């Protein structure tokens, strides 16, 4: 089977890493995979099997000229790939793919990498609303991250399927020695969406009771974002127990050391860092946005769920895990077992099931 995955680059982002994992899963099953990228001068940072072909279609010229040339270059690359299926990942391919595939036998799929609903405090932008509910209707098949979003999407799209993000790491199953560290992760510019203010306010209560525990927050951020985070740290009086780690290319080492992981997002569509932390044996506390994180932590043996912005609930959950070694270790083991559900192999199986249901031959 020939599969084209169309993504603007293979670096610097969650959706981009997901695209690389999809490519890996298909290639390992023997499919002929081409990844088509559009952003000039960006190195491939995520590992790919040698059998995966990467083709960049970026061209030079003025803004309008470059746009037209890039589209035409993409159409040529797509036709040359002779793909049975082309999977679009965000801009510009959510706009280009329906036009580029016109007149070919390639089945096209659009993948949405955000939740289809947001709280009033952080609404979907007009651009995202347009791409979600207008542009996506040009595709016969659309995938979303969760069952919660599939129930929304099925009201708008002809065929809508839930496709969770795959796990990049191998679950450890039996966690090793852990340190008294609570870890959180996310881009600092997105501190409000990530709920770092909720976490730090909760930590202001927790740190006083458990002075031997530390909170670490991993994630890149501008000088302004770092200043904002430092302001939140200072206002909650936790300067001595909180460390901003910055960007961590070796993030797995931090998961392996941390006993607890805190996911306090207000409205993330899917907690990729959450399944990563679970896979490395972290006992997790997660804020559940309208059932989305409950699709990851599916039982009380796998982690603790709180409501978004529930400072008291987050604090009480962290305190329970810190105080009870036996319970914490029980959740660590349960998290490892649950993480296997999101393995690349299992997610690849889900893709093939979608192909079969949509009449795409698995040759």
């Amino acid at each position: 089977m020939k599969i084209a995955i169309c993504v603007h680059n293979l670096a610097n982002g969650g959706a981009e890493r997901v695209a690389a994992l999809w490519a890996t899963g298909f290639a390992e099953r023997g499919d002929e995979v081409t990844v088509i990228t559009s952003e000039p001068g960006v190195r491939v940072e995520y590992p790919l099997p040698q059998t995966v072909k990467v083709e960049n279609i970026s061209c030079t010229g003025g803004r309008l000229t470059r746009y037209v040339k890039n589209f035409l270059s993409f159409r040529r690359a797509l036709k040359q790939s002779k793909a049975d299926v082309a999977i679009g990942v965000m801009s510009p391919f959510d706009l280009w793919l329906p036009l580029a595939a016109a007149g070919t036998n390639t089945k096209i799929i659009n993948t949405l990498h955000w939740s289809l609903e947001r709280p009033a405090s952080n609404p979907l932008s007009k651009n995202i609303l347009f791409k979600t509910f207008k542009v996506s209707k040009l595709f016969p098949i659309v995938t979303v991250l969760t069952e919660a979003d599939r129930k929304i999407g099925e009201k708008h799209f002809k065929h809508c399927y839930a496709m969770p993000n795959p796990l990049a790491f191998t679950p450890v199953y039996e966690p090793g020695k852990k340190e008294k560290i609570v870890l959180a992760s996310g881009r600092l510019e997105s501190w409000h969406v990530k709920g770092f203010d909720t976490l730090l306010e909760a930590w202001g209560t927790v740190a006083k009771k458990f002075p031997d525990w530390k909170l670490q927050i991993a994630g890149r951020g501008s000088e302004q974002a770092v200043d904002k985070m430092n302001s939140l740290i200072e206002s909650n009086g936790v300067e001595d127990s909180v460390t901003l780690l910055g960007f961590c290319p070796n993030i797995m080492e931090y998961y392996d050391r941390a006993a607890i992981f805190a996911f306090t997002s207000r409205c993330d569509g899917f907690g990729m860092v959450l399944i990563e932390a679970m896979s490395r044996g972290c006992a997790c506390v997660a804020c559940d946005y309208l059932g989305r994180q409950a699709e990851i932590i599916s039982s009380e043996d796998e982690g603790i769920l709180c409501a978004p912005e529930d400072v008291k609930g987050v604090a009480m959950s962290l305190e329970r895990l810190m105080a009870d070694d036996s319970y914490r270790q029980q959740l660590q083991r349960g998290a490892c077992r649950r993480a296997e559900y999101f393995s690349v192999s299992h997610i690849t199986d889900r893709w093939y099931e979608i192909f079969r249901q949509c009449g795409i031959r698995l040759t």
Side-chain angles (χ1 to χ4, degrees):
M1 187 175 184
K2 296 181 179 180
I3 301 173
I5 298 176
C6 311
V7 59
H8 57 291
N9 65 51
L10 286 169
N12 301 324
E16 295 84 351
R17 181 164 59 162
V18 165
L21 292 170
W22 290 342
T24 298
F26 292 134
E28 289 178 346
R29 300 289 183 91
D31 292 319
E32 186 177 325
V33 181
T34 301
V35 178
I36 302 174
T37 64
S38 61
E39 190 169 334
V42 177
R43 293 181 297 107
V44 175
E45 293 188 355
Y46 301 125
L48 292 170
Q50 292 184 346
T51 56
V52 174
K53 179 182 179 182
V54 179
E55 184 166 351
N56 184 270
I57 52 89
S58 63
C59 302
T60 59
R63 184 176 180 181
L64 179 59
T65 300
R66 186 173 67 250
Y67 188 88
V68 174
K69 288 169 68 175
N70 283 355
F71 170 76
L72 294 175
S73 178
F74 170 54
R75 179 169 167 81
R76 284 193 298 271
L78 185 63
K79 292 180 71 174
Q80 289 171 2
S81 74
K82 298 181 180 178
D84 300 296
V85 178
I87 300 172
V89 183
M90 302 194 301
S91 296
F93 298 106
D94 48 4
L95 291 170
W96 288 359
L97 192 48
L99 296 174
T104 73
N105 293 322
T106 300
K107 299 285 188 180
I108 60 173
I109 301 174
N110 195 28
T111 61
L112 300 178
H113 296 265
W114 49 80
S115 58
L116 304 194
E117 58 185 338
R118 290 275 187 88
S121 62
N122 189 54
L124 290 167
S125 68
K126 291 182 180 179
N127 180 51
I128 293 297
L129 283 170
F130 175 71
K131 290 186 174 184
T132 300
F133 298 110
K134 298 297 183 182
V135 173
S136 291
K137 288 186 176 181
L138 300 175
F139 289 79
I141 306 166
V142 176
T143 69
V144 293
L145 295 171
T146 62
E147 281 295 321
D149 286 307
R150 185 194 63 77
K151 292 176 182 178
I152 297 172
E154 67 182 4
K155 300 174 184 178
H156 299 271
F157 313 126
K158 184 177 180 180
H159 296 290
C160 185
Y161 299 91
M163 179 57 64
N165 287 335
L167 175 65
F169 305 146
T170 301
V172 294
Y173 297 107
E174 193 60 41
K177 185 177 180 180
K178 294 283 191 175
E179 299 176 24
K180 292 184 176 182
I181 295 171
V182 177
L183 180 67
S185 180
R187 290 180 66 251
L188 301 189
E189 265 80 12
S190 302
W191 64 268
H192 186 264
V193 173
K194 300 302 180 185
F196 289 150
D197 54 333
T198 298
L199 175 59
L200 289 167
E201 187 175 348
W203 189 252
T205 300
V206 173
K208 296 173 184 177
K209 300 178 182 179
F210 297 86
D212 53 339
W213 282 76
K214 303 297 180 183
L215 171 63
Q216 297 179 344
I217 301 176
R220 70 174 82 235
S222 65
E223 183 177 345
Q224 182 179 7
V226 171
D227 288 344
K228 176 61 181 180
M229 289 294 293
N230 282 326
S231 175
L232 290 170
I233 291 169
E234 292 170 9
S235 65
N236 287 289
V238 290
E239 298 95 323
D240 293 338
S241 61
V242 178
T243 302
L244 300 180
L245 300 174
F247 175 64
C248 299
N250 56 338
I251 186 65
M252 188 165 67
E253 296 178 11
Y254 291 91
Y255 289 136
D256 287 345
R257 287 200 295 268
I260 299 170
F261 185 81
F263 183 87
T264 52
S265 176
R266 283 176 165 85
C267 57
D268 266 358
F270 186 89
M272 194 161 184
V273 293
L274 180 58
I275 63 171
E276 289 177 350
M278 292 170 70
S279 77
R280 305 307 297 181
C282 296
C284 295
V285 174
C287 291
D288 177 35
Y289 177 59
L290 298 179
R292 286 165 176 81
Q293 276 58 60
E295 294 184 28
I296 297 175
I297 297 176
S298 60
S299 78
E300 294 181 353
D301 293 329
E302 298 164 358
I304 301 176
L305 295 173
C306 305
E309 301 182 319
D310 183 2
V311 172
K312 183 178 180 180
V314 170
M316 290 177 62
S317 299
L318 291 174
E319 289 176 11
R320 183 182 179 191
L321 289 173
M322 292 175 182
D324 190 336
D325 292 350
S326 177
Y327 178 60
R328 186 173 68 248
Q329 291 163 9
Q330 174 189 335
L331 293 198
Q332 289 171 345
R333 291 189 292 270
C336 291
R337 291 191 297 270
R338 174 58 177 166
E340 176 63 26
Y341 178 81
F342 301 98
S343 68
V344 172
S345 177
H346 183 250
I347 298 304
T348 303
D349 287 341
R350 290 181 69 117
W351 271 118
Y352 289 144
E353 183 58 31
I354 289 175
F355 296 160
R356 280 190 287 267
Q357 291 184 27
C358 295
I360 300 171
R361 294 185 61 187
L362 307 181
T363 57

